[in-house]
Amino acid sequence: MAAAGAVRGLVRGGAAAAGCLGPGGCRVLGLPVCRLKSSVSFLTRPDRPNLAYHKLKGRNPGIIFLPGLNSNMNGQKAIALEDFCNSLGHAFIRFDYTGCGSSNGNIEECTIGKWRKDVLSILDELTDGPQILVGSSLGGWLMLHAAVARPDKVAALVGVAIAADHLVTTFNRLPIEAQKEIEEKGEWKLPTKHSEEGYYSLTYNFIREAENHCVLNSPIPVTCPIRLIHGMKDDDVPWQISMQVADRVLSKDVDVILRKVGQHRMSEMEDTKLLVNTIDDLIDKLTTLA
């Protein structure tokens, strides 16, 4: 385990990693760089809602970003990673889950199982060759499932504030009376400071279905390299979950990187540098192994 307070400046292939300014542009070692506007594409599925995505063509290993709960593909980390991959010439995909962002579907009908299938659809239909999955919060939970289901395609994992089993664990820690009230109302208002309402609305059925996808109760059959980055000031998802995941996966190549001042969204410039440096190191490792 490494405790990261600051990270090195990275220059690789003539480009450097940096914190992002938002959808309009990024900084490379503090300097603004131009980025092309990318149009939204849709993955058409005959039996499921269409998924919105942005795809950057390039060489492998490709990078796929999996957003967190109530998030979308236009977040700061996703945009920063797209710019980084563009600078290196590596393939990159960011997308929205069913019912989120620009994708079709009703969010109230979504489940962990359906979002798991979304990730597999992206892997199966839009990629060729080895991929590095980068999962933020709930996206980190989903990336574990994808790695179990597609071991030949998932070459490495990077979790940012990974939230494996977290919604189920949090619900089960509520007093029995509170759980019964949520069951009767059919809705759980999960407190959060990341929403204007002050909570995320989840259906009771969402929680019950999510129990089928918990991974921390037994060994996780994932053997690829794994890097888990977590802020110790994360008030939403405890950093100890990253430690639990590291303990449960079968892979021996696992690093847990804790940022002492890091918060849940890991959105500071130094956080973004750490994320990009971590992915860059994995690209080097996978390229050397190949």
Side-chain angles (χ1 to χ4, degrees), residues 148-175:
V148 172
R150 300 291 186 270
D152 294 336
K153 208 158 197 179
V154 177
L157 300 176
V158 178
V160 182
I162 188 169
D165 300 7
H166 180 60
L167 293 174
V168 175
T169 302
T170 302
F171 179 83
N172 288 337
R173 286 176 177 168
L174 294 174

PDB file of all heavy atoms in Angstrom, residues 148-175:
ATOM      1  N   VAL A 148     -14.661 -10.333 -14.089  1.00  0.00           N
ATOM      2  CA  VAL A 148     -15.002 -11.743 -13.857  1.00  0.00           C
ATOM      3  C   VAL A 148     -15.644 -12.344 -15.112  1.00  0.00           C
ATOM      4  O   VAL A 148     -15.341 -13.474 -15.512  1.00  0.00           O
ATOM      5  CB  VAL A 148     -15.961 -11.879 -12.656  1.00  0.00           C
ATOM      6  CG1 VAL A 148     -16.479 -13.311 -12.539  1.00  0.00           C
ATOM      7  CG2 VAL A 148     -15.258 -11.462 -11.373  1.00  0.00           C
ATOM      8  N   ALA A 149     -16.507 -11.571 -15.757  1.00  0.00           N
ATOM      9  CA  ALA A 149     -17.263 -12.075 -16.916  1.00  0.00           C
ATOM     10  C   ALA A 149     -16.431 -12.108 -18.199  1.00  0.00           C
ATOM     11  O   ALA A 149     -16.688 -12.936 -19.081  1.00  0.00           O
ATOM     12  CB  ALA A 149     -18.508 -11.217 -17.135  1.00  0.00           C
ATOM     13  N   ARG A 150     -15.454 -11.205 -18.320  1.00  0.00           N
ATOM     14  CA  ARG A 150     -14.660 -11.110 -19.563  1.00  0.00           C
ATOM     15  C   ARG A 150     -13.160 -11.096 -19.237  1.00  0.00           C
ATOM     16  O   ARG A 150     -12.453 -10.143 -19.540  1.00  0.00           O
ATOM     17  CB  ARG A 150     -15.032  -9.847 -20.338  1.00  0.00           C
ATOM     18  CG  ARG A 150     -16.490  -9.746 -20.765  1.00  0.00           C
ATOM     19  CD  ARG A 150     -16.847 -10.761 -21.839  1.00  0.00           C
ATOM     20  NE  ARG A 150     -18.203 -10.547 -22.320  1.00  0.00           N
ATOM     21  CZ  ARG A 150     -19.285 -11.127 -21.790  1.00  0.00           C
ATOM     22  NH1 ARG A 150     -19.158 -11.950 -20.745  1.00  0.00           N
ATOM     23  NH2 ARG A 150     -20.496 -10.879 -22.292  1.00  0.00           N
ATOM     24  N   PRO A 151     -12.650 -12.166 -18.647  1.00  0.00           N
ATOM     25  CA  PRO A 151     -11.237 -12.180 -18.237  1.00  0.00           C
ATOM     26  C   PRO A 151     -10.253 -12.069 -19.400  1.00  0.00           C
ATOM     27  O   PRO A 151      -9.139 -11.576 -19.221  1.00  0.00           O
ATOM     28  CB  PRO A 151     -11.096 -13.524 -17.508  1.00  0.00           C
ATOM     29  CG  PRO A 151     -12.200 -14.373 -18.069  1.00  0.00           C
ATOM     30  CD  PRO A 151     -13.335 -13.436 -18.323  1.00  0.00           C
ATOM     31  N   ASP A 152     -10.650 -12.523 -20.582  1.00  0.00           N
ATOM     32  CA  ASP A 152      -9.749 -12.468 -21.734  1.00  0.00           C
ATOM     33  C   ASP A 152      -9.639 -11.069 -22.318  1.00  0.00           C
ATOM     34  O   ASP A 152      -8.703 -10.775 -23.066  1.00  0.00           O
ATOM     35  CB  ASP A 152     -10.214 -13.435 -22.828  1.00  0.00           C
ATOM     36  CG  ASP A 152     -10.116 -14.890 -22.381  1.00  0.00           C
ATOM     37  OD1 ASP A 152      -9.303 -15.166 -21.482  1.00  0.00           O
ATOM     38  OD2 ASP A 152     -10.858 -15.729 -22.913  1.00  0.00           O
ATOM     39  N   LYS A 153     -10.591 -10.204 -21.975  1.00  0.00           N
ATOM     40  CA  LYS A 153     -10.616  -8.864 -22.559  1.00  0.00           C
ATOM     41  C   LYS A 153     -10.180  -7.785 -21.568  1.00  0.00           C
ATOM     42  O   LYS A 153      -9.636  -6.755 -21.958  1.00  0.00           O
ATOM     43  CB  LYS A 153     -12.022  -8.546 -23.073  1.00  0.00           C
ATOM     44  CG  LYS A 153     -12.028  -7.575 -24.225  1.00  0.00           C
ATOM     45  CD  LYS A 153     -13.305  -7.697 -25.030  1.00  0.00           C
ATOM     46  CE  LYS A 153     -13.156  -7.039 -26.390  1.00  0.00           C
ATOM     47  NZ  LYS A 153     -14.358  -7.161 -27.222  1.00  0.00           N
ATOM     48  N   VAL A 154     -10.435  -8.013 -20.285  1.00  0.00           N
ATOM     49  CA  VAL A 154     -10.072  -7.027 -19.272  1.00  0.00           C
ATOM     50  C   VAL A 154      -8.639  -7.287 -18.821  1.00  0.00           C
ATOM     51  O   VAL A 154      -8.353  -8.266 -18.140  1.00  0.00           O
ATOM     52  CB  VAL A 154     -11.033  -7.077 -18.074  1.00  0.00           C
ATOM     53  CG1 VAL A 154     -10.594  -6.087 -16.999  1.00  0.00           C
ATOM     54  CG2 VAL A 154     -12.464  -6.766 -18.538  1.00  0.00           C
ATOM     55  N   ALA A 155      -7.739  -6.381 -19.214  1.00  0.00           N
ATOM     56  CA  ALA A 155      -6.311  -6.575 -18.953  1.00  0.00           C
ATOM     57  C   ALA A 155      -5.870  -5.987 -17.623  1.00  0.00           C
ATOM     58  O   ALA A 155      -4.855  -6.412 -17.051  1.00  0.00           O
ATOM     59  CB  ALA A 155      -5.500  -5.954 -20.088  1.00  0.00           C
ATOM     60  N   ALA A 156      -6.607  -4.990 -17.115  1.00  0.00           N
ATOM     61  CA  ALA A 156      -6.250  -4.354 -15.842  1.00  0.00           C
ATOM     62  C   ALA A 156      -7.431  -3.533 -15.348  1.00  0.00           C
ATOM     63  O   ALA A 156      -8.318  -3.168 -16.120  1.00  0.00           O
ATOM     64  CB  ALA A 156      -5.007  -3.467 -16.001  1.00  0.00           C
ATOM     65  N   LEU A 157      -7.410  -3.244 -14.047  1.00  0.00           N
ATOM     66  CA  LEU A 157      -8.474  -2.466 -13.413  1.00  0.00           C
ATOM     67  C   LEU A 157      -7.873  -1.312 -12.615  1.00  0.00           C
ATOM     68  O   LEU A 157      -6.844  -1.478 -11.958  1.00  0.00           O
ATOM     69  CB  LEU A 157      -9.297  -3.343 -12.462  1.00  0.00           C
ATOM     70  CG  LEU A 157     -10.026  -4.556 -13.041  1.00  0.00           C
ATOM     71  CD1 LEU A 157     -10.699  -5.345 -11.912  1.00  0.00           C
ATOM     72  CD2 LEU A 157     -11.049  -4.133 -14.080  1.00  0.00           C
ATOM     73  N   VAL A 158      -8.570  -0.172 -12.675  1.00  0.00           N
ATOM     74  CA  VAL A 158      -8.213   0.968 -11.834  1.00  0.00           C
ATOM     75  C   VAL A 158      -9.486   1.444 -11.159  1.00  0.00           C
ATOM     76  O   VAL A 158     -10.424   1.900 -11.826  1.00  0.00           O
ATOM     77  CB  VAL A 158      -7.583   2.122 -12.647  1.00  0.00           C
ATOM     78  CG1 VAL A 158      -7.278   3.306 -11.715  1.00  0.00           C
ATOM     79  CG2 VAL A 158      -6.323   1.662 -13.359  1.00  0.00           C
ATOM     80  N   GLY A 159      -9.530   1.340  -9.846  1.00  0.00           N
ATOM     81  CA  GLY A 159     -10.692   1.796  -9.098  1.00  0.00           C
ATOM     82  C   GLY A 159     -10.415   3.134  -8.431  1.00  0.00           C
ATOM     83  O   GLY A 159      -9.334   3.344  -7.881  1.00  0.00           O
ATOM     84  N   VAL A 160     -11.383   4.031  -8.511  1.00  0.00           N
ATOM     85  CA  VAL A 160     -11.293   5.331  -7.837  1.00  0.00           C
ATOM     86  C   VAL A 160     -12.440   5.403  -6.836  1.00  0.00           C
ATOM     87  O   VAL A 160     -13.608   5.442  -7.224  1.00  0.00           O
ATOM     88  CB  VAL A 160     -11.382   6.494  -8.846  1.00  0.00           C
ATOM     89  CG1 VAL A 160     -11.240   7.828  -8.116  1.00  0.00           C
ATOM     90  CG2 VAL A 160     -10.339   6.365  -9.942  1.00  0.00           C
ATOM     91  N   ALA A 161     -12.112   5.368  -5.553  1.00  0.00           N
ATOM     92  CA  ALA A 161     -13.142   5.349  -4.503  1.00  0.00           C
ATOM     93  C   ALA A 161     -14.133   4.215  -4.752  1.00  0.00           C
ATOM     94  O   ALA A 161     -15.357   4.409  -4.739  1.00  0.00           O
ATOM     95  CB  ALA A 161     -13.868   6.687  -4.430  1.00  0.00           C
ATOM     96  N   ILE A 162     -13.605   3.037  -4.985  1.00  0.00           N
ATOM     97  CA  ILE A 162     -14.429   1.883  -5.352  1.00  0.00           C
ATOM     98  C   ILE A 162     -15.503   1.629  -4.295  1.00  0.00           C
ATOM     99  O   ILE A 162     -15.241   1.626  -3.099  1.00  0.00           O
ATOM    100  CB  ILE A 162     -13.541   0.641  -5.565  1.00  0.00           C
ATOM    101  CG1 ILE A 162     -14.366  -0.524  -6.132  1.00  0.00           C
ATOM    102  CG2 ILE A 162     -12.821   0.243  -4.283  1.00  0.00           C
ATOM    103  CD1 ILE A 162     -13.496  -1.687  -6.613  1.00  0.00           C
ATOM    104  N   ALA A 163     -16.730   1.417  -4.766  1.00  0.00           N
ATOM    105  CA  ALA A 163     -17.878   1.281  -3.858  1.00  0.00           C
ATOM    106  C   ALA A 163     -18.483  -0.111  -3.917  1.00  0.00           C
ATOM    107  O   ALA A 163     -19.705  -0.278  -3.921  1.00  0.00           O
ATOM    108  CB  ALA A 163     -18.938   2.335  -4.201  1.00  0.00           C
ATOM    109  N   ALA A 164     -17.640  -1.127  -3.937  1.00  0.00           N
ATOM    110  CA  ALA A 164     -18.128  -2.500  -4.001  1.00  0.00           C
ATOM    111  C   ALA A 164     -19.053  -2.810  -2.824  1.00  0.00           C
ATOM    112  O   ALA A 164     -18.678  -2.604  -1.657  1.00  0.00           O
ATOM    113  CB  ALA A 164     -16.940  -3.470  -4.008  1.00  0.00           C
ATOM    114  N   ASP A 165     -20.257  -3.250  -3.133  1.00  0.00           N
ATOM    115  CA  ASP A 165     -21.263  -3.656  -2.137  1.00  0.00           C
ATOM    116  C   ASP A 165     -21.747  -2.505  -1.250  1.00  0.00           C
ATOM    117  O   ASP A 165     -22.572  -2.729  -0.349  1.00  0.00           O
ATOM    118  CB  ASP A 165     -20.720  -4.763  -1.211  1.00  0.00           C
ATOM    119  CG  ASP A 165     -20.315  -6.028  -1.927  1.00  0.00           C
ATOM    120  OD1 ASP A 165     -20.324  -6.040  -3.171  1.00  0.00           O
ATOM    121  OD2 ASP A 165     -19.962  -7.007  -1.249  1.00  0.00           O
ATOM    122  N   HIS A 166     -21.267  -1.306  -1.465  1.00  0.00           N
ATOM    123  CA  HIS A 166     -21.453  -0.234  -0.485  1.00  0.00           C
ATOM    124  C   HIS A 166     -22.921   0.120  -0.247  1.00  0.00           C
ATOM    125  O   HIS A 166     -23.337   0.341   0.896  1.00  0.00           O
ATOM    126  CB  HIS A 166     -20.687   1.013  -0.922  1.00  0.00           C
ATOM    127  CG  HIS A 166     -20.818   2.163   0.026  1.00  0.00           C
ATOM    128  ND1 HIS A 166     -20.420   2.081   1.349  1.00  0.00           N
ATOM    129  CD2 HIS A 166     -21.320   3.422  -0.132  1.00  0.00           C
ATOM    130  CE1 HIS A 166     -20.659   3.232   1.950  1.00  0.00           C
ATOM    131  NE2 HIS A 166     -21.207   4.061   1.090  1.00  0.00           N
ATOM    132  N   LEU A 167     -23.724   0.178  -1.303  1.00  0.00           N
ATOM    133  CA  LEU A 167     -25.135   0.530  -1.129  1.00  0.00           C
ATOM    134  C   LEU A 167     -25.864  -0.513  -0.289  1.00  0.00           C
ATOM    135  O   LEU A 167     -26.666  -0.171   0.590  1.00  0.00           O
ATOM    136  CB  LEU A 167     -25.805   0.685  -2.494  1.00  0.00           C
ATOM    137  CG  LEU A 167     -25.346   1.866  -3.351  1.00  0.00           C
ATOM    138  CD1 LEU A 167     -25.990   1.813  -4.720  1.00  0.00           C
ATOM    139  CD2 LEU A 167     -25.676   3.190  -2.655  1.00  0.00           C
ATOM    140  N   VAL A 168     -25.563  -1.769  -0.552  1.00  0.00           N
ATOM    141  CA  VAL A 168     -26.202  -2.843   0.202  1.00  0.00           C
ATOM    142  C   VAL A 168     -25.740  -2.824   1.659  1.00  0.00           C
ATOM    143  O   VAL A 168     -26.554  -2.948   2.587  1.00  0.00           O
ATOM    144  CB  VAL A 168     -25.896  -4.203  -0.445  1.00  0.00           C
ATOM    145  CG1 VAL A 168     -26.453  -5.345   0.415  1.00  0.00           C
ATOM    146  CG2 VAL A 168     -26.479  -4.277  -1.852  1.00  0.00           C
ATOM    147  N   THR A 169     -24.455  -2.662   1.856  1.00  0.00           N
ATOM    148  CA  THR A 169     -23.906  -2.620   3.216  1.00  0.00           C
ATOM    149  C   THR A 169     -24.490  -1.464   4.015  1.00  0.00           C
ATOM    150  O   THR A 169     -24.871  -1.622   5.192  1.00  0.00           O
ATOM    151  CB  THR A 169     -22.373  -2.474   3.164  1.00  0.00           C
ATOM    152  OG1 THR A 169     -21.812  -3.562   2.420  1.00  0.00           O
ATOM    153  CG2 THR A 169     -21.779  -2.474   4.563  1.00  0.00           C
ATOM    154  N   THR A 170     -24.594  -0.292   3.365  1.00  0.00           N
ATOM    155  CA  THR A 170     -25.133   0.884   4.041  1.00  0.00           C
ATOM    156  C   THR A 170     -26.595   0.675   4.420  1.00  0.00           C
ATOM    157  O   THR A 170     -27.033   1.029   5.530  1.00  0.00           O
ATOM    158  CB  THR A 170     -25.005   2.127   3.137  1.00  0.00           C
ATOM    159  OG1 THR A 170     -23.625   2.323   2.809  1.00  0.00           O
ATOM    160  CG2 THR A 170     -25.525   3.363   3.838  1.00  0.00           C
ATOM    161  N   PHE A 171     -27.351   0.099   3.495  1.00  0.00           N
ATOM    162  CA  PHE A 171     -28.770  -0.164   3.782  1.00  0.00           C
ATOM    163  C   PHE A 171     -28.922  -1.143   4.941  1.00  0.00           C
ATOM    164  O   PHE A 171     -29.751  -0.938   5.845  1.00  0.00           O
ATOM    165  CB  PHE A 171     -29.469  -0.720   2.534  1.00  0.00           C
ATOM    166  CG  PHE A 171     -30.920  -1.039   2.750  1.00  0.00           C
ATOM    167  CD1 PHE A 171     -31.885  -0.049   2.665  1.00  0.00           C
ATOM    168  CD2 PHE A 171     -31.320  -2.337   3.051  1.00  0.00           C
ATOM    169  CE1 PHE A 171     -33.226  -0.342   2.889  1.00  0.00           C
ATOM    170  CE2 PHE A 171     -32.659  -2.637   3.270  1.00  0.00           C
ATOM    171  CZ  PHE A 171     -33.618  -1.639   3.195  1.00  0.00           C
ATOM    172  N   ASN A 172     -28.128  -2.198   4.925  1.00  0.00           N
ATOM    173  CA  ASN A 172     -28.256  -3.233   5.962  1.00  0.00           C
ATOM    174  C   ASN A 172     -27.840  -2.738   7.340  1.00  0.00           C
ATOM    175  O   ASN A 172     -28.176  -3.373   8.355  1.00  0.00           O
ATOM    176  CB  ASN A 172     -27.435  -4.460   5.579  1.00  0.00           C
ATOM    177  CG  ASN A 172     -28.052  -5.231   4.419  1.00  0.00           C
ATOM    178  OD1 ASN A 172     -29.256  -5.131   4.174  1.00  0.00           O
ATOM    179  ND2 ASN A 172     -27.249  -5.990   3.713  1.00  0.00           N
ATOM    180  N   ARG A 173     -27.123  -1.625   7.382  1.00  0.00           N
ATOM    181  CA  ARG A 173     -26.717  -1.056   8.668  1.00  0.00           C
ATOM    182  C   ARG A 173     -27.776  -0.122   9.254  1.00  0.00           C
ATOM    183  O   ARG A 173     -27.641   0.325  10.396  1.00  0.00           O
ATOM    184  CB  ARG A 173     -25.390  -0.311   8.505  1.00  0.00           C
ATOM    185  CG  ARG A 173     -24.192  -1.243   8.349  1.00  0.00           C
ATOM    186  CD  ARG A 173     -22.915  -0.456   8.099  1.00  0.00           C
ATOM    187  NE  ARG A 173     -21.754  -1.343   8.010  1.00  0.00           N
ATOM    188  CZ  ARG A 173     -20.552  -0.982   7.569  1.00  0.00           C
ATOM    189  NH1 ARG A 173     -20.367   0.285   7.190  1.00  0.00           N
ATOM    190  NH2 ARG A 173     -19.557  -1.839   7.526  1.00  0.00           N
ATOM    191  N   LEU A 174     -28.793   0.167   8.477  1.00  0.00           N
ATOM    192  CA  LEU A 174     -29.880   1.007   8.988  1.00  0.00           C
ATOM    193  C   LEU A 174     -30.671   0.246  10.051  1.00  0.00           C
ATOM    194  O   LEU A 174     -30.746  -0.985  10.024  1.00  0.00           O
ATOM    195  CB  LEU A 174     -30.822   1.399   7.848  1.00  0.00           C
ATOM    196  CG  LEU A 174     -30.268   2.303   6.744  1.00  0.00           C
ATOM    197  CD1 LEU A 174     -31.304   2.463   5.633  1.00  0.00           C
ATOM    198  CD2 LEU A 174     -29.865   3.664   7.303  1.00  0.00           C
ATOM    199  N   PRO A 175     -31.270   0.954  10.983  1.00  0.00           N
ATOM    200  CA  PRO A 175     -32.136   0.283  11.962  1.00  0.00           C
ATOM    201  C   PRO A 175     -33.255  -0.480  11.258  1.00  0.00           C
ATOM    202  O   PRO A 175     -33.707  -0.080  10.175  1.00  0.00           O
ATOM    203  CB  PRO A 175     -32.696   1.448  12.789  1.00  0.00           C
ATOM    204  CG  PRO A 175     -31.696   2.556  12.616  1.00  0.00           C
ATOM    205  CD  PRO A 175     -31.170   2.404  11.229  1.00  0.00           C
TER     206      PRO A 175
END
